[in-house]
Amino acid sequence: MERRTIGAAALAVGAVGLGCMPMSWGYSSSRQRGDTSLRAVHRALDLGANLLDTADMYGPFTNELLLGRVLRERRAEAFVSTKVGLLVGEQHIVANGRPGYVRRACDASLRRLQTDVIDLYQLHRPDPEVPVEETWGAMADLVRAGKVRALGFCAVGARGGRRTGGTGLYDTTIRQLGRVQQVFPVSAVEAELSVWSPEALEALLPWCAARGVGLLAAMPLGNGFLTGTLTPGEGFEPDDMRARHPRFTAEMMAANQPIVAGLRRIAARHGPQATPAQVALAWTLAQGPQVIPVPGTKRERWVAENAGAAELRLTPRDLAELEGLPGARGSWE
């Protein structure tokens, strides 16, 4: 697989990564199977999709434990990204950026992951009660202690309208990035980026490109919608985050089918094996050499399909057609 680099340290990873969250968190729990997920992670490493993206809150904790079962055998082949800064309660999630907590959380993640170093340690969310410089300083101390190789900053969750209303969407994040950059270099920013959520292109990606910072494209398949495998009205299990997602009502899924139809048309031009999901990922890869899509999945089949997107080269005609697709419908508010 093509390799791309993250940050000034030029950390090399496969052009397509693996988002591990669906294996333990956020999606239908009845479809989560440990053995199935383990095979998916092994398959990703076999194919060179070696960036494994997790977080201590996924589960919570169980996602890191699952990855640890793979890493104890194949640590040298993997690039491990995990996150700190969010605590999961019974009915709520709260931020915690206190330096002491950051240090304890890192040690706990290392134990669960069965490794002695984390390749990319990301701040999941800044704590509004703690100056972000203090949190980042504690994370920088972990680099100096040899427990972490590089630091990243998550901007996931800042959503807006496609091409309209996205102006200034990441202003707060960019200001925070400027502050932490004065403390210790930012190697990567993780943010939502996909054909139906391109807002990061307006200011966030240019900020990263100007500074040699990698951008990890979260949700590059639109929580599964851009794969073309979801049926409007089929519904979701109550614990699936899409059950409460305004773009996943039956009405909005039907209204947004022209986006999937456009992906299908372009895939057909690239041969019978190309899929809408691969076109969507190839679009993300085409946004810049520092962009690394991190599609989430828990099945070997989709891991292999996603990895194949690294070989799909979109033409100028393809890119123009994608740019001309209708904007996604469904308010985030």
Side-chain angles (χ1 to χ4, degrees):
M1 182 183 288
E2 171 197 347
R3 307 282 278 183
R4 294 194 169 190
T5 57
I6 292 179
L11 303 168
V13 297
V16 176
L18 174 61
C20 299
M21 184 183 78
M23 302 173 186
S24 312
W25 177 264
Y27 294 86
S28 302
S29 58
S30 71
R31 301 180 186 177
Q32 293 168 357
R33 299 285 186 274
D35 290 345
T36 299
S37 295
L38 288 172
R39 289 194 295 270
V41 178
H42 280 291
R43 182 67 169 144
L45 294 178
D46 292 343
L47 294 169
N50 67 329
L51 193 160
L52 308 178
D53 189 56
T54 184
D56 56 2
M57 72 163 286
Y58 298 159
F61 312 129
T62 53
N63 202 242
E64 288 185 332
L65 288 167
L66 185 147
L67 283 187
R69 294 169 62 185
V70 176
L71 295 176
R72 69 187 177 194
E73 302 172 13
R74 305 184 65 173
R75 179 64 182 94
E77 301 170 65
F79 183 97
V80 181
S81 168
T82 192
K83 308 177 188 75
V84 66
L86 290 180
L87 291 171
V88 180
E90 289 269 336
Q91 300 290 332
H92 62 281
I93 297 173
V94 297
N96 189 338
R98 295 180 179 84
Y101 170 73
V102 169
R103 289 190 287 270
R104 293 192 301 275
C106 179
D107 288 341
S109 287
L110 288 168
R111 288 193 297 271
R112 288 188 291 268
L113 291 165
Q114 300 195 46
T115 184
D116 58 0
V117 64
I118 294 164
D119 296 304
L120 181 67
Y121 203 38
Q122 300 198 72
L123 179 57
H124 215 155
R125 295 290 186 279
D127 185 340
E129 303 299 323
V130 179
V132 69
E133 293 88 347
E134 290 186 16
T135 305
W136 199 255
M139 294 171 69
D141 287 342
L142 297 171
V143 179
R144 288 185 276 268
K147 297 179 179 182
V148 170
R149 290 199 172 101
L151 301 184
F153 197 98
C154 288
V156 180
R159 293 164 165 173
R162 188 179 192 270
R163 295 193 185 90
T164 59
T167 303
L169 190 65
Y170 288 106
D171 283 356
T172 298
T173 294
I174 289 172
R175 286 194 295 271
Q176 291 170 334
L177 286 167
R179 290 165 59 186
V180 300
Q181 188 83 321
Q182 301 302 311
V183 177
F184 192 88
V186 178
S187 288
V189 175
E190 184 164 344
E192 182 173 6
L193 178 61
S194 70
V195 168
W196 80 344
S197 293
E199 294 80 21
L201 300 181
E202 296 181 17
L204 189 60
L205 180 56
W207 187 94
C208 292
R211 293 161 179 80
V213 172
L215 190 140
L216 307 189
M219 293 170 276
L221 296 176
N223 300 101
F225 183 81
L226 301 177
T227 66
T229 61
L230 300 180
T231 303
E234 186 177 25
F236 301 95
E237 294 181 16
D239 64 338
D240 191 314
M241 61 185 178
R242 292 170 295 185
R244 300 172 298 283
H245 193 310
R247 285 189 186 175
F248 284 90
T249 64
E251 179 186 8
M252 288 299 100
M253 288 180 70
N256 286 319
Q257 286 303 309
I259 300 173
V260 175
L263 294 171
R264 290 191 192 281
R265 284 195 304 273
I266 294 168
R269 294 204 288 266
H270 289 267
Q273 301 304 314
T275 67
Q278 289 176 331
V279 172
L281 292 173
W283 175 88
T284 309
L285 288 163
Q287 303 311 307
Q290 72 280 6
V291 178
I292 298 131
V294 189
T297 187
K298 52 186 175 290
R299 298 185 183 278
E300 288 181 86
R301 173 186 175 184
W302 306 129
V303 166
E305 180 177 314
N306 294 342
E311 305 301 320
L312 196 158
R313 297 293 182 265
L314 298 177
T315 67
R317 175 190 174 190
D318 296 334
L319 292 168
E321 190 169 330
L322 288 165
E323 179 65 22
L325 290 177
R329 295 181 57 188
S331 170
W332 291 105
E333 279 71 44

